[in-house]
Amino acid sequence: MLDNLYKGQGTKLHTTETWRNLPKLEVDAIDKFRHPSGYLAQPGLVAAVNVALELGMPLLLTGEPGCGKSDLAHSLAWELNFPKGSNDDYSKPLCFTVKSDTQSRDLFYTFDTLGRFRAARVEKENADARQYLRFEALGLAILRVLGPDIIKELQLQDCLDELPKEPQNSVVLIDEIDKAPREVPNDILNEIGRMGFDIPELFETGKPRKTVSLRDVKTTIDSVNNQKNSSTQITRHNPVIIITSNRERELPEAFLRRCVYYHLGLPNFRNHKGITPSHDKNHEVTIENILETRLGVSINNEDNKKNSEKTIIAAGVALFHYLRTEVQMLKPPSIAELLNWMKLLQNRCDNSTNLKDFQSRSIFISSAIVTLFKQQEDQEQAGQLIQSWLDRTTSA
């Protein structure tokens, strides 16, 4: 186990063999656990995604942290295969994580003004501004749709790490938009609406301002498609945009009006009652479904067993249900935290092991305290809560 690794007693390990010999998960097991093909979307979420795709509008997702909002973008990129022909194992979204100092421009590109100024002083001439331009998620997605020929017309090919071989669609994840200053959501409305943005840093006297826009180059795309000898037909689509919010700050009404909206609630439990379900009345995705898909296990109904006698995975689900429905916590555990905890238990214990086994129970309790309880006040009462829960019998 892990007893011979870190001891925290001011001594160093004299060999790296203990690290090399740590029990490791198989690579394919890790891939399966994280792979977007294992993402299970609630029926209401599926409907919201399809509406957003059909209307070409961003999808705004709210929900508590750890409920799977960001993972939706990875699931979409994998399922839609955007961008096609990816060199990775599977297509991935272009991600931008919003910070408290994010400005609207930052979602499209960043410009190293200071670096350009320093270079100009050293070289005693104006340095090429394109050397200091870097495209971010939304800007890169728009350029990918335009394709290599138009990128070259705009003279932006040297600003990209890799020039797309043909026009491509992308999935864009704008994560935690509620962290941005209040004016940012409104500031990006026009850019998202026309799928374009200006780059004033590339302005040259006597020349038009440099603009990257799907709308402005539509005539160019049409002319290419109308060429009789053209071997490539360009399909113009907006990038698929997923925006997440933890609702730390309410978003402007004008921004909400431009988005398809869905609140991602906690799924039902298959074997328990008492938790408030999401608004999907015909709910098909349960907590147990998610665990079975991600962990590759089958979870049996053990509700009539004493908690201390349940098998390790069934007991984990029962404890999660108890903490979510019967205990007042400052921060209730999320699905993401449950998944990580269950993966740890599966790695350390046999799935058929029950909590009557002393070692398994010890691992169960100690790992639950540090993975499910994320506030000091909650963690201080965690041991007592779990011990009292062990003596109970959960029945549906």
Side-chain angles (χ1 to χ4, degrees):
M1 200 53 65
L2 304 179
D3 297 339
N4 62 343
L5 189 60
Y6 179 71
K7 298 184 182 299
Q9 297 177 358
T11 58
K12 293 183 179 180
L13 293 174
H14 297 289
T15 175
T16 58
E17 287 303 313
T18 50
W19 178 259
R20 292 196 184 106
N21 293 331
L22 264 174
K24 293 181 174 64
L25 301 176
E26 295 294 333
V27 173
D28 58 348
I30 296 175
D31 290 344
K32 184 176 180 180
F33 181 60
R34 302 294 183 189
H35 198 279
S37 62
Y39 185 85
L40 298 181
Q42 302 172 11
L45 178 58
V46 172
V49 168
N50 289 326
V51 169
L53 290 175
E54 185 172 347
L55 296 178
M57 295 172 63
L59 172 61
L60 173 63
L61 281 181
T62 60
E64 64 182 54
C67 69
K69 300 187 298 296
S70 301
D71 289 340
L72 172 67
H74 292 266
S75 175
L76 261 178
W78 172 78
E79 186 169 325
L80 298 175
N81 193 23
F82 287 169
K84 295 181 180 179
S86 172
N87 294 326
D88 298 323
D89 294 334
Y90 56 86
S91 301
K92 297 179 175 65
L94 299 170
C95 302
F96 184 91
T97 301
V98 176
K99 300 178 182 179
S100 59
D101 61 348
T102 293
Q103 301 300 310
S104 58
R105 183 196 72 173
D106 299 337
L107 277 71
F108 299 90
Y109 71 94
T110 56
F111 188 81
D112 185 4
T113 304
L114 183 59
R116 186 190 181 193
F117 175 74
R118 288 173 175 169
R121 290 189 62 185
V122 171
E123 299 171 7
K124 299 184 186 302
E125 60 183 21
N126 290 330
D128 186 353
R130 293 170 181 81
Q131 297 179 33
Y132 306 95
L133 183 68
R134 177 188 173 189
F135 288 102
E136 296 294 342
L138 266 177
L140 184 55
I142 293 172
L143 285 169
R144 282 182 176 179
V145 174
L146 298 180
D149 294 338
I150 298 177
I151 292 174
K152 291 176 182 178
E153 283 185 26
L154 295 169
Q155 299 179 327
L156 297 174
Q157 65 273 17
D158 293 335
C159 303
L160 303 177
D161 294 333
E162 182 179 359
L163 186 69
K165 296 179 181 179
E166 59 185 13
Q168 326 175 303
N169 279 15
S170 300
V171 174
V172 178
L173 171 63
I174 303 175
D175 215 9
E176 301 183 355
I177 189 69
D178 51 318
K179 286 187 176 179
R182 183 169 179 81
E183 65 273 10
V184 168
N186 281 335
D187 287 348
I188 65 174
L189 286 179
N190 290 332
E191 285 82 354
I192 289 181
R194 70 184 175 102
M195 275 296 134
F197 58 98
D198 298 327
I199 311 177
E201 290 84 356
L202 300 187
F203 174 77
E204 298 178 54
T205 304
K207 294 184 179 181
R209 174 176 289 191
K210 186 71 70 176
T211 298
V212 179
S213 173
L214 300 190
R215 180 179 298 174
D216 293 345
V217 300
K218 186 178 185 302
T219 54
T220 305
I221 294 176
D222 290 341
S223 66
V224 171
N225 288 340
N226 290 332
Q227 293 177 11
K228 294 182 180 179
N229 297 326
S230 176
S231 59
T232 302
Q233 292 291 300
I234 303 175
T235 303
R236 178 181 178 272
H237 292 297
N238 288 347
V240 179
I241 301 176
I242 307 297
I243 305 174
T244 72
S245 169
N246 294 327
R247 299 189 69 177
E248 294 180 6
R249 178 184 301 167
E250 292 302 320
L251 296 169
E253 290 185 8
F255 181 81
L256 296 174
R257 189 173 64 249
R258 304 281 186 94
C259 298
V260 175
Y261 171 76
Y262 187 81
H263 179 77
L264 193 56
L266 187 75
N268 286 327
F269 287 81
R270 180 195 304 157
N271 300 330
H272 299 274
K273 295 178 180 179
I275 195 162
T276 302
S278 69
H279 58 264
D280 295 324
K281 294 183 179 180
N282 298 319
H283 209 288
E284 299 175 4
V285 178
T286 66
I287 296 292
E288 288 87 350
N289 292 151
I290 294 172
L291 290 173
E292 288 174 337
T293 301
R294 290 296 189 184
L295 302 178
V297 299
S298 178
I299 302 176
N300 297 322
N301 189 334
E302 300 182 17
D303 283 351
N304 293 324
K305 288 185 178 180
K306 193 174 181 179
N307 289 326
S308 59
E309 298 175 354
K310 292 178 178 176
T311 55
I312 200 86
I313 301 298
V317 176
L319 177 60
F320 181 74
H321 175 268
Y322 170 70
L323 296 176
R324 291 285 312 197
T325 61
E326 299 185 43
V327 178
Q328 294 293 324
M329 298 178 65
L330 293 178
K331 184 197 175 300
S334 68
I335 297 177
E337 289 157 344
L338 172 65
L339 279 169
N340 289 331
W341 179 47
M342 291 288 96
K343 192 60 182 176
L344 176 75
L345 292 178
Q346 188 182 49
N347 189 37
R348 293 195 186 182
C349 308
D350 188 273
N351 290 340
S352 61
T353 303
N354 63 46
L355 295 187
K356 289 190 291 185
D357 177 75
F358 177 79
Q359 184 178 12
S360 297
R361 182 187 295 196
S362 177
I363 294 171
F364 182 92
I365 296 174
S366 61
S367 59
I369 290 174
V370 295
T371 55
L372 302 184
F373 297 82
K374 297 297 179 69
Q375 293 288 341
Q376 178 183 349
E377 293 83 351
D378 291 336
Q379 200 168 81
E380 287 173 351
Q381 62 174 343
Q384 182 179 351
L385 281 172
I386 296 174
Q387 287 294 344
S388 63
W389 169 84
L390 284 169
D391 296 330
R392 298 176 51 179
T393 298
T394 304
S395 58

